[in-house]
Amino acid sequence: MKPLIVANWKMNPESLVEAKRNFEIIKKGVRNIKKVEPVICAPFIFLPLLKATNHLKLGAQDCFWEDKGPFTGEISPTQLKNLGVDYVILGHSERRKYLGESTELVNRKIIAALETGLKVIFCIGSETKKPDKEMKYQLKIGLRGVRKQDVAKLVFVYEPVWAISTSKNKVIATPHEALKGGLYIRNVLGEIFDKETAKKAKIIYGGSVDSRNIRGFIKDGKMAGGLPGAASLDPHEFVRIVKKVDESLGH
Ligand code: PGA
């Protein structure tokens, strides 16, 4: 799998016109990129109107755990898949914080999304400066019932809550802190599955990623990509992030 740069647009932009315009700028900007997989995780309402290409994939920011039925306001993994969506972000700390989403619910969503054939971008992180038991809990409960052969369809995001650009006391994580978070996730995956599976797992970093710091996270933090939120709202900046990673991989 190529390194992944995932734009988390969150509840932005305010109109379809803007979403389409930003998507087109990015599509043009990444059309010659071969060594990186850029993904745009847009709000549900924009997804049917943005067309994924070989160079630019689409992702959702959440999904429900059933395929269809009486679940007012929800969107199923099958509906996303049928729309040409490849990825879904699950377990984001903002959903845990503002919607009270529990790790048990995240687990049901992960299982359903994997069964449908979506690739899952699973966010792991806590409020503490160093990786802690909360992250272990998120991984152990979040992955309950996931088979080890399915780990290849998951992308783990080390996303310390304190490093998210909109968090109150934001401090940008260093590549070394990202490295430690990644190692922690890998160790827990080793406990849940086995060393081989843990070694192969794809772990990316999220939290104030931009075009100036992405290389450090990849090179020194040994991350397999990044999940920019705020920086991805500027389509030119998102393209710069993707290009920085592509260039850093050499020929
Ligand atoms: P940020 O958001 O890049 O604005 O910190 C990342 C995220 O929360 O996914």
Side-chain angles (χ1 to χ4, degrees), residues 137-187:
Y137 180 82
Q138 289 171 6
L139 283 159
K140 290 213 159 160
I141 304 299
L143 295 173
R144 223 163 24 192
V146 171
R147 295 162 309 171
K148 83 174 180 192
Q149 60 267 36
D150 286 334
V151 175
K153 297 173 202 147
L154 280 147
V155 177
F156 299 88
V157 191
Y158 174 50
E159 186 160 80
V161 176
W162 46 267
I164 293 178
S165 67
T166 45
S167 77
K168 227 180 24 214
N169 306 311
K170 181 194 78 168
V171 189
I172 300 181
T174 62
H176 187 66
E177 284 168 327
L179 178 75
K180 284 216 240 132
L183 281 176
Y184 186 90
I185 291 176
R186 227 177 270 288
N187 274 336

Side-chain angles (χ1 to χ4, degrees), residues 8 10 89 92-94 123 159 163-166 170 206-209 227-231:
N8 181 7
K10 308 192 179 182
I89 297 176
H92 195 282
S93 60
E94 284 156 10
C123 298
E159 186 160 80
I164 293 178
S165 67
T166 45
K170 181 194 78 168
S208 302
V209 167
L227 180 95

